Amino acid sequence: MSLPALQNTSVFYRRIVSQFPQDISLAFAYGSGVFKQSGTTQGQMGKNMLDFVFAVDDPVTWHTMNLLQNRKHYSFLKYLGPKQISSIQNDHGAGIYYNTLVPSNGKMIKYGVISTDSLIDDLLHWKTLYVAGRLQKPVKILLQSEDGKLRAALVGNLKSAVTASFLMLPESCAEEDLFVQIAGLSYSGDFRMVIGEDKSKVLNIVKENLQHFRILYSHILQECPQVVYKPQQGKLEVDKSPEGQFTQLMALPRTLQQRITRLVDPPGKNRDVEEILLQVAQDPDCGLVVQQGISSIVKSSSISQSAKGIVTAGLMKTFSYSTKKVWKMWKGWRRKSP
């Protein structure tokens, strides 16, 4: 999972991580401050906020220690104590608690804390596709425990991203088309793509990071029986037969299968999932149904997590963070204007 990184940047990121309690099963850095995007200069990239996610086995203990070490990072919620903070983290939004606009080592950072169990659940079942979606794109893994269950879930999430994307792609496509489809999964249905994100963000991510996507996915593509992968030509031929699509639908994460079932099966009919997916596999609009299912997962988690973010960040930081997002969106729009 770990991607090649310049030694000095890896050391810099690890220096930041070392300022937090070390009971971390997975730590990774991601986003436009870590990976270059099209239309962004190296200088602009250096000014972007650095994003981190920490998966921890015991959130109450971790927040207890972090409140002692980094109390200033928290909003007014610090007065409620670590148990309440962990409850807000686990029970609301996408199961992740963010502290944002935190100064560290001369940079501004944002870090999210998620329980290892919640992360594995999202990776395997796409309950929210919030952190799982981030891990479908290139990230810099800084710490990872030897937990075999977590390792298997990380790989399973990548395989699910490939399978879902196959269902939405034509029979023959370019490798880049697949990566654009994968990169867009976690943005599909995200209301922030309407009001807070640069619309060309997905394409910008892929264009500058093709090699990183290949490192993540080439092994999976070479072993997948549902596709003929021609890496030298950068082309794919996907099995789009009803039988092939049924196999792909049956391999999708559980939450997505449930969302597809709700979209297709009228209330009260109560057919089993396999029967419904067999029907979808033969539908010319199969890809559209899968797209709608993914959008419905992302829409609900993006709204609830953003609402939670107002509380966890506090009003002033939320206003500052949102203003920067809208400014980036406007700059992206200006770049595309004639």
Side-chain angles (χ1 to χ4, degrees):
M1 282 291 298
S2 186
L3 297 176
L6 292 171
Q7 189 60 30
N8 61 341
T9 57
S10 290
V11 169
F12 179 72
Y13 296 141
R14 288 193 178 94
R15 194 175 296 142
I16 291 172
V17 174
S18 72
Q19 296 166 6
F20 295 93
Q22 291 303 290
D23 184 20
I24 295 173
S25 61
L26 181 73
F28 64 89
Y30 68 97
S32 59
V34 180
F35 289 92
K36 193 173 183 301
Q37 297 181 9
S38 291
T40 306
T41 65
Q42 209 68 38
Q44 289 168 329
M45 185 181 163
K47 294 175 186 174
N48 287 341
M49 184 158 61
L50 296 177
D51 297 316
F52 296 86
V53 166
F54 307 143
V56 302
D57 291 342
D58 183 349
V60 175
T61 300
W62 197 91
H63 283 295
T64 300
M65 295 166 69
N66 200 42
L67 282 163
L68 291 171
Q69 288 177 230
N70 301 301
R71 191 172 179 82
K72 288 182 179 178
H73 295 181
Y74 291 82
S75 69
F76 69 93
L77 294 178
K78 59 177 168 273
Y79 299 111
L80 300 180
K83 284 188 180 176
Q84 195 59 44
I85 286 171
S86 298
S87 176
I88 291 166
Q89 173 189 307
N90 292 324
D91 301 339
H92 302 280
I96 186 164
Y97 187 105
Y98 273 103
N99 284 325
T100 190
L101 294 174
V102 172
S104 178
N105 289 58
K107 299 281 285 186
M108 203 61 81
I109 73 166
K110 176 180 80 175
Y111 65 94
V113 184
I114 185 169
S115 79
T116 307
D117 286 343
S118 292
L119 173 60
I120 289 172
D121 188 47
D122 197 31
L123 291 168
L124 292 177
H125 305 305
W126 287 9
K127 185 178 176 184
T128 68
L129 245 181
Y130 201 85
V131 181
R134 277 149 182 73
L135 284 160
Q136 290 161 359
K137 295 179 274 291
V139 302
K140 280 189 168 58
I141 290 183
L142 307 169
L143 286 173
Q144 186 174 343
S145 71
E146 294 302 312
D147 184 339
K149 193 176 175 185
L150 174 59
R151 191 175 295 276
L154 287 164
V155 175
N157 178 47
L158 298 180
K159 288 180 177 177
S160 295
V162 168
T163 303
S165 297
F166 282 169
L167 287 158
M168 294 182 283
L169 286 166
E171 187 172 5
S172 296
C173 65
E175 183 186 48
E176 186 175 338
D177 295 332
L178 172 67
F179 298 149
V180 169
Q181 191 72 60
I182 289 171
L185 292 175
S186 62
Y187 294 115
S188 176
D190 190 337
F191 80 100
R192 292 170 300 175
M193 292 301 284
V194 178
I195 61 170
E197 295 282 11
D198 181 354
K199 302 297 186 299
S200 55
K201 180 168 186 166
V202 175
L203 197 57
N204 291 344
I205 290 169
V206 175
K207 275 186 176 296
E208 287 286 341
N209 296 287
L210 271 173
Q211 190 54 36
H212 288 311
F213 275 96
R214 286 189 189 111
I215 291 166
L216 272 181
Y217 289 103
S218 64
H219 187 64
I220 291 169
L221 290 170
Q222 283 162 358
E223 290 194 338
C224 180
Q226 302 292 317
V227 67
V228 177
Y229 177 44
K230 303 172 182 173
Q232 301 303 321
Q233 299 165 315
K235 292 190 175 176
L236 306 161
E237 289 174 16
V238 182
D239 183 355
K240 301 298 286 184
S241 68
E243 296 80 13
Q245 294 197 143
F246 178 63
T247 301
Q248 292 155 22
L249 287 163
M250 289 297 290
L252 292 175
R254 184 177 63 207
T255 306
L256 179 52
Q257 288 182 341
Q258 290 168 346
R259 296 292 178 122
I260 291 169
T261 300
R262 278 184 225 160
L263 284 166
V264 175
D265 202 34
K269 257 194 145 182
N270 296 325
R271 293 184 295 163
D272 64 42
V273 172
E274 191 170 333
E275 185 185 346
I276 294 161
L277 295 182
L278 187 58
Q279 176 191 325
V280 175
Q282 298 169 57
D283 190 330
D285 291 328
C286 174
L288 183 60
V289 174
V290 174
Q291 175 82 44
Q292 289 172 339
I294 292 169
S295 294
S296 69
I297 296 171
V298 174
K299 184 178 181 180
S300 56
S301 64
S302 69
I303 291 172
S304 59
Q305 183 64 33
S306 294
K308 181 166 105 176
I310 296 170
V311 179
T312 58
L315 283 174
M316 290 299 289
K317 281 188 176 182
T318 299
F319 178 76
S320 175
Y321 182 69
S322 301
T323 302
K324 286 173 183 172
K325 283 282 186 185
V326 173
W327 173 247
K328 277 177 74 176
M329 180 186 71
W330 184 75
K331 284 201 295 185
W333 175 80
R334 273 195 68 191
R335 279 198 301 270
K336 289 191 293 180
S337 295

